Structures are given as C-alpha cells and as structure tokens.
Amino acid sequence: MKKTIFSVATLTALTGVSAVTANAEEVTVKSGDSLWSIAQAAGTTVADLKAENNLKSDLIHPGDVLSFNQTVEVSKDTYTVKAGDTLWAIGNEVGLSYQEIMTINNLNSDMIYPGQTLSLVASVEENTQTSETATVQEVEVAEEVQAEEVTQVEETQVEVVEEVEATETVEVQETGAYIVQKGDTLASISRATGVDVDTLKALNSLKSDMIFPDDVLVLTGEVPTTPAVEEVSEVEKIEVAVETVDQAAEKAEADRVAAEQAAVEKAEADRVAAEQAVAEKAEADRVAAEQAAARQAEADRQAAIKAEEERVAAQRAEEARIQAQKEQQRIAAQKAAEKREREAAAQKAAQQASQPVSQGNGNAYTIALNLSKGKSYVYGANSAYAVDCSSFAQQFMAQYKGKNIPRTTWAQRDAGTRVSNPQPGDLVFFNNYSHVGVYVGNGMMVDALNPSEGVGLRAVSYVHGYVDGYYRY
C-alpha cells in the first residue's frame, strides 16, 4: 500500500514596512534589578546598556540612573530579533500576525532568539479552489499498513517522516470565523463553537495552543484527520539547538548577574550595617567616656572640697591650738605676776604685822591669817576645818569684833556699811556679791576662794572679775 505526504499552499501577499525609532529613555535601578532584567524590559541588550552607560562590569546599584535607546530596527524586508522579543510583539510592531511571520519564515514553533533575522515579505501563488486536494507526491514504502493506522508523534521530539498515508478529509460545517477575546483558550473556543481543538489548530495552521486577543480563527474548511508532520532539516535542528543553548546561556548569564547583584546588595547592606554598628558603638563609647569623665570630674571636685574643708579645719585647729597656747601662756604669765604680787604683798604685810590696824580683839591680819590655817574650801561648809567664802568672813568677824553677821554674801552686804576708804578688818565683795574676802590692808586679803586655791592670803586683784565695794561692820 502507498502512503502520501501533502502540503497545502496558502495565499499570502505581504509588502515591506518602514523603520521605526523611539526616543532615548532613562530607568532608575531598584533593589533586585540587574542589567539583564532591565535590558529585557527596555527591549535592548546588556552589551548595549553597558556601552550606552560606560559600564565596565555588570554591577549596578539601587538608585543608579541608566539611559537607553529604544530603537526598532526594521528594514523593508527583514527584522532583527532583540532580547525580550516575541513573535506576537514583533507582529504588533510591524503590522503582521505572528502566524504570518511563522509562515513567511517557515517556523515550526514560536521560539526565536536574539540576533535572528526574520523575513517580513513573501509572495506565494493563490489557490483559486479551496476545496481542491493538494498536490500529492507518491512515495513507495517498504511496508503496507492499514488506512486506519495513525502515526504517533511524541511531544518532545520532531521526527523526519518520509511518507504518510493519504487520509480522508472531514467536512466541517461552515460557521464563519471567530475573533479571539481576552481570556479565551482553544478549549473554551472549541466548546463555544463545537469545533474540536485539533481541527481549530489544523484549520488555522497553529503549531501550539497559544492564541492572542483579536486573532481571527477560521472555523470551516477541509482538514486532514491526521496532522501532517513536517520534515525538519538538520539545519533547522541545529538552529533550534543553538537557540536553546543561547537562551540557556542568556538565562545563566542573567542568573549570574542577578547573583552578583544580590551579592553586591548584600555586601552593601552588610557594610552599611557594620558602619552603623561601628558608629553606634563609637557614640556609645563617647557617651560612656563623657559620663565617666563627668563622674571623675565630680569625684575630683568633691575630693577637692573635702581636702579644702580638711585644710581649713586643720588650719583652724592649728590656730585654735596656737591661741590656746597663747592663752595658757598669758594665764601662766598672769598667774606668775599675781604670785609675785602676792609674795610682795605678803612680805609687806609681814613687815606691818606688828602694827595695830584695828579696834577690837587683836590685829586683823593676824586673826585672819591664823583663822585660815588648817582649813580647806568646801562649798556650803562652816566648821573649824572646812569653810566657804561667806562662812569664813562670818567666823572672822566673830573673832575680830565679836559680831555675829549673816551667813550669805548678800545678807552680809546688807548688814554692813559701804565705805570708800577701806581699812584692815573690812569685808570686800566681788562680781555682783558672789564672793567675799577679809581685807587686811595694803591691797591684800584673806579668803576662801575655791577648792583648788583653798583658804589663804592673796591680793585683792587676784580674783577675776571686778570689785563690788568695801563694807565695814
């Protein structure tokens, strides 16, 4: 049995298109961008971007401003594919459908690659009878198969088929055409029109299930029940392989650049974080140092204040010691002078002892001096062994004049008569009448002064304070 391979010629008459050039553009680099992603979005190449912006490497940084020229280089008859192009986008650019571009360039799929040159003009003979059977070339085959058998073609490979069985044609009812809407798929169109997906693809020479809004799909005509598998040349295989390799290489380059970009951004973020950490630590150290210096300064100030207070206290203590020493020296000198005065008075009194100086029972000096012998000073006492100043004056006056005068100094003052010319035997009062002594003449007296000084002869001037007056009884 013989098999046949057939092809159907379609009328296409295309004319050339004019070149279009866009103005220069700028783009600001954002985090995550790379030269490859920017080139894809801008419709240019990484090499052009680098040349346009004088870049020595693929490294860019967020905030960089890159300029590029969006120029569509289309001659009258051809178009050179750029990175990011698709057949659909090129068709929109030049005013053709992507199916027409595929037909003109004998493309088996919609896969293209940068640098590929596509023809935009073709002229083929129009078939006047759409219902005619295509020219059939008969080929002898080694083995006969039944007409019902269908050659299976795997999706992942392209087989070179030398011959296929001439197949029956299936008539599709004439329903017109369908304009693809946004969101349509071949399956949804098949359900809406009743034309199965394979028939739709065969009628419209679709090599894949990809369709685009505003595409016009033919719904009527004769189609083979088994699609013909086109013969693919070794050159086309190589071109597809090269295209695949180029795309893989381009993706690898994009991944590399993206990785480098991510590494740069991470390094930059790490650097900024490190600088921030260093700055924060430096600021913390500065504040801590200032606080430590302030605390030390305050401690030094307090220490200085304390030292000054101690110095002043020591100075005052020294001054007080010197003053006390001077006072002691003054008192000692005064006491020495008083002692000398007493000794001189005692000598003078001894010289006058033989002279009578008073009326009454004996010499006042002798009586007072004898009366003081063997007695000690005890406050409030009045005995032969212990007396105070007023009891001694009371005992003296009893022996000297035989008079009993009051016991206290104030009462004794009131009992006597104040005189301005004191004589031996008169009483002399001191310091608001708080002390009394027996005047024995020549500025001397005998009194009971205090526990330390005792009872005896001393100068009137020896008593500290002042003299209230002399009284006679």
Side-chain angles (χ1 to χ4, degrees):
M1 178 179 181
K2 293 183 180 180
K3 290 188 177 182
T4 60
I5 182 168
F6 70 98
S7 61
V8 179
T10 315
L11 175 61
T12 307
L14 301 175
T15 61
V17 294
S18 301
V20 179
T21 303
N23 294 329
E25 300 286 346
E26 288 186 348
V27 62
T28 301
V29 178
K30 299 185 294 296
S31 178
D33 282 348
S34 66
L35 285 181
W36 184 83
S37 63
I38 293 173
Q40 289 289 302
T44 184
T45 64
V46 172
D48 289 342
L49 273 179
K50 291 173 68 175
E52 180 71 20
N53 294 276
N54 296 320
L55 300 179
K56 305 301 182 182
S57 69
D58 293 339
L59 297 183
I60 53 177
H61 303 276
D64 289 350
V65 178
L66 303 179
S67 61
F68 60 91
N69 289 320
Q70 281 190 324
T71 303
V72 180
E73 298 180 0
V74 182
S75 70
K76 292 184 177 181
D77 300 328
T78 60
Y79 178 88
T80 301
V81 178
K82 296 185 178 299
D85 281 348
T86 64
L87 288 181
W88 184 79
I90 295 171
N92 284 342
E93 188 71 31
V94 301
L96 300 175
S97 69
Y98 79 93
Q99 296 99 330
E100 290 173 329
I101 296 175
M102 290 177 64
T103 301
I104 295 170
N105 293 274
N106 295 321
L107 299 179
N108 297 316
S109 70
D110 54 5
M111 185 177 293
I112 55 177
Y113 55 89
Q116 183 178 358
T117 300
L118 299 178
S119 178
L120 302 177
V121 179
S123 178
V124 297
E125 294 182 355
E126 181 180 3
N127 290 326
T128 56
Q129 296 181 355
T130 58
S131 61
E132 265 179 27
T133 305
T135 304
V136 179
Q137 179 182 3
E138 296 185 357
V139 181
E140 292 289 332
V141 294
E143 181 180 355
E144 294 183 355
V145 294
Q146 296 296 326
E148 294 82 13
E149 292 179 354
V150 179
T151 304
Q152 298 295 324
V153 181
E154 293 183 4
E155 294 182 357
T156 58
Q157 70 181 46
V158 180
E159 295 180 352
V160 179
V161 180
E162 294 183 352
E163 54 188 18
V164 294
E165 180 180 7
T167 57
E168 301 174 355
T169 60
V170 179
E171 292 292 331
V172 180
Q173 293 182 355
E174 184 174 356
T175 58
Y178 181 86
I179 299 176
V180 177
Q181 305 298 315
K182 184 176 181 180
D184 280 347
T185 63
L186 288 180
S188 66
I189 295 171
S190 175
R191 289 193 297 271
T193 61
V195 181
D196 63 75
V197 172
D198 290 338
T199 302
L200 283 173
K201 292 172 69 176
L203 285 171
N204 293 275
S205 302
L206 299 179
K207 306 302 181 182
S208 68
D209 292 342
M210 185 178 296
I211 55 176
F212 299 91
D214 297 330
D215 284 354
V216 178
L217 300 182
V218 177
L219 301 179
T220 60
E222 293 184 356
V223 296
T225 56
T226 301
V229 180
E230 298 182 2
E231 180 177 347
V232 180
S233 67
E234 292 299 324
V235 174
E236 290 175 331
K237 290 182 181 180
I238 294 172
E239 288 177 349
V240 171
V242 169
E243 181 179 0
T244 303
V245 170
D246 288 345
Q247 291 178 343
E250 189 169 340
K251 185 177 184 304
E253 175 65 12
D255 292 342
R256 181 189 67 78
V257 171
E260 288 182 358
Q261 184 70 18
V264 168
E265 291 178 358
K266 184 178 185 303
E268 178 67 12
D270 293 344
R271 182 189 65 77
V272 171
E275 289 180 354
Q276 182 69 17
V278 169
E280 290 176 356
K281 185 177 185 304
E283 179 64 13
D285 292 344
R286 183 189 65 78
V287 172
E290 287 182 354
Q291 291 176 346
R295 289 193 296 269
Q296 184 61 43
E298 179 63 16
D300 293 343
R301 189 180 69 83
Q302 293 295 334
I305 292 173
K306 183 177 180 182
E308 179 63 16
E309 291 175 347
E310 291 175 350
R311 186 192 65 78
V312 171
Q315 181 178 354
R316 289 177 179 174
E318 180 64 15
E319 292 174 352
R321 185 188 66 78
I322 294 173
Q323 185 66 26
Q325 186 178 14
K326 289 180 179 180
E327 181 66 16
Q328 290 175 356
Q329 291 174 353
R330 185 190 66 79
I331 292 173
Q334 181 178 352
K335 287 182 177 180
E338 290 175 351
K339 183 177 180 180
R340 287 191 300 271
E341 289 177 358
R342 287 195 302 270
E343 290 174 351
Q347 290 177 0
K348 186 175 180 181
Q351 291 174 0
Q352 299 175 351
S354 59
Q355 300 178 3
V357 292
S358 66
Q359 300 177 2
N361 189 16
N363 183 284
Y365 174 81
T366 303
I367 293 173
L369 196 61
N370 290 335
L371 185 62
S372 68
K373 292 180 180 179
K375 287 183 173 60
S376 60
Y377 177 90
V378 175
Y379 179 76
N382 187 10
S383 69
Y385 305 103
V387 293
D388 58 14
C389 66
S390 60
S391 64
F392 179 80
Q394 187 183 45
Q395 289 180 15
F396 167 80
M397 196 58 67
Q399 288 189 22
Y400 179 58
K401 287 190 175 183
K403 291 185 177 182
N404 185 21
I405 63 175
R407 171 71 177 80
T408 65
T409 56
W410 292 279
Q412 290 172 358
R413 175 199 62 186
D414 294 339
T417 300
R418 186 182 180 113
V419 295
S420 58
N421 54 340
Q423 296 178 3
D426 292 341
L427 297 183
V428 57
F429 291 88
F430 300 88
N431 300 324
N432 197 26
Y433 301 95
S434 62
H435 182 66
V436 65
V438 177
Y439 182 69
V440 294
N442 301 318
M444 301 296 292
M445 71 175 181
V446 177
D447 69 340
L449 185 58
N450 54 47
S452 61
E453 300 290 345
V455 183
L457 180 67
R458 72 190 92 246
V460 174
S461 61
Y462 182 76
V463 178
H464 294 297
Y466 55 90
V467 175
D468 293 322
Y470 292 86
Y471 287 79
R472 189 170 294 161
Y473 298 88

